[in-house]
């Protein structure tokens, strides 16, 4: 069979993450909890764990930003954060999963500004230095925790963090890596068998011992 294309993955057994900006739609503790829940969905299947850091430079930067020319102050701070990230290796042609062409000026520190309400909800980078692994959520969406109206943040975070771990899109509508958002209730939200197979193909199985 064809040699598998170079599938970037995290080598360290512990991957650090830092949430550097939040959304007005949800309490911060809810975002913290749902990010931890999304990460745990993946890490419980593989021999890899996540550690949250609140200072310094993590492997995975998570944050909310809005696109468009009128960048709000929070985003400026955000993009400054990313600009420092840029020097960390963006020039390695890091491209988030959803774009294959750099075209417009940076809006939140990378070359992929968001598009206002609807449309693209979020994007993320495959494992690597600098922007590698980072996950950006469109602040212009109405984010919800699965109870109220709005986009289910847990479902989108699980999709994006799948990219952060090295997964690509799936053509299986039951997969969390399906390229379009399907309104799922976050109560019984879980990885599909295909998602588990894909992530274990990349990182191996977590031993039961
Ligand atoms: C999977 C998801 C969590 C992340 C993906 C992006 C992605 O793959 N990130 O890693 C996403 O945002 N997909 C769009 C794809 C999309 C659907 N439409 C679009 C209209 C314009 C632009 C994009 C879209 C039709 C209208 C519905 C718009 C609202 C829902 N949007 C989507 O489903
Ligand atoms: Ca959008
Ligand atoms: Zn995607
Ligand atoms: Zn971005």
């Amino acid at each position: 069979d064809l040699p598998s294309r170079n599938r970037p993955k995290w080598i360290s057994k512990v991957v650090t993450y830092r949430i550097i900006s939040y959304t007005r739609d949800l309490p911060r503790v809810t975002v913290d909890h749902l990010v931890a829940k999304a990460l745990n969905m993946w890490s419980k299947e593989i021999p890899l764990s996540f550690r949250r850091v609140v200072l310094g430079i993590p492997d995975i930067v998570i944050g909310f930003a809005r696109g468009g020319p009128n960048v709000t102050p929070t985003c400026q701070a955000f993009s400054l954060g990313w600009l420092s990230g840029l020097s960390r290796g963006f020039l390695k042609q890091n491209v988030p999963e959803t774009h294959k062409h750099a075209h417009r000026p940076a809006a939140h520190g990378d070359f992929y500004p968001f598009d206002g309400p609807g449309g693209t909800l979020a994007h993320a980078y495959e494992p690597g230095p600098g922007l590698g692994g980072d996950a950006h959520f469109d602040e212009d969406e109405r984010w919800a925790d699965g109870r109220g109206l709005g986009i289910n943040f847990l479902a989108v975070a699980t999709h994006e963090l799948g990219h952060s771990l090295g997964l690509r899109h799936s053509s299986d509508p039951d997969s969390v890596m399906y390229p379009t958002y399907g309104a799922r209730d976050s109560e019984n939200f879980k990885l599909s068998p295909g998602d588990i197979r894909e992530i274990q193909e990349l990182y191996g199985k977590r031993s039961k011992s």
Side-chain angles (χ1 to χ4, degrees):
D1 62 343
L2 288 173
S4 71
R5 59 184 172 216
N6 68 321
R7 302 282 309 267
K9 56 186 261 197
W10 299 103
I11 303 296
S12 49
K13 287 292 167 219
V14 177
V15 172
T16 55
Y17 73 96
R18 183 176 168 195
I19 305 172
I20 69 168
S21 63
Y22 289 82
T23 167
R24 287 185 306 275
D25 304 333
L26 294 167
R28 287 180 175 227
V29 290
T30 303
V31 171
D32 293 348
H33 168 69
L34 293 176
V35 165
K37 195 170 175 184
L39 288 169
N40 184 52
M41 271 199 205
W42 293 110
S43 64
K44 73 181 193 335
E45 306 296 347
I46 53 180
L48 181 143
S49 62
F50 292 101
R51 186 162 60 81
R52 182 175 173 214
V53 294
V54 291
L55 285 174
I57 300 202
D59 297 313
I60 295 176
V61 170
I62 294 168
F64 292 79
R66 59 167 45 89
N70 53 341
V71 178
T72 58
T74 45
C75 293
Q76 267 140 9
F78 201 37
S79 54
L80 283 181
W82 264 319
L83 288 178
S84 74
L86 294 187
S87 62
R88 281 188 288 134
F90 177 81
L91 303 180
K92 298 259 183 302
Q93 287 311 314
N94 246 326
V95 179
E97 276 306 316
T98 63
H99 302 282
K100 291 296 171 216
H101 49 276
H103 43 79
R104 285 166 45 189
H108 56 258
D110 61 18
F111 291 90
Y112 303 99
F114 283 123
D115 50 6
T120 300
L121 305 178
H123 56 224
Y125 295 83
E126 62 186 20
L131 276 170
D134 294 2
H136 304 163
F137 297 85
D138 189 346
E139 171 55 34
D140 282 333
E141 310 306 338
R142 183 206 303 207
W143 295 102
D145 61 1
R147 277 198 297 273
L149 274 179
I151 304 285
N152 179 326
F153 180 66
L154 175 64
V156 178
T158 306
H159 175 102
E160 300 310 330
L161 292 163
H163 287 314
S164 304
L165 281 167
L167 293 192
R168 304 271 168 125
H169 283 153
S170 161
S171 54
D172 170 2
D174 291 336
S175 160
V176 296
M177 298 314 293
Y178 195 64
T180 56
Y181 174 77
R184 296 160 173 255
D185 56 344
S186 81
E187 282 327 299
N188 56 16
F189 176 76
K190 63 186 190 318
L191 299 185
S192 74
D195 296 320
I196 294 171
R197 189 173 55 246
E198 284 291 323
I199 197 71
Q200 290 181 338
E201 211 171 87
L202 206 49
Y203 291 97
K205 287 187 181 205
R206 176 177 281 267
S207 54
K208 287 294 161 224
S209 59

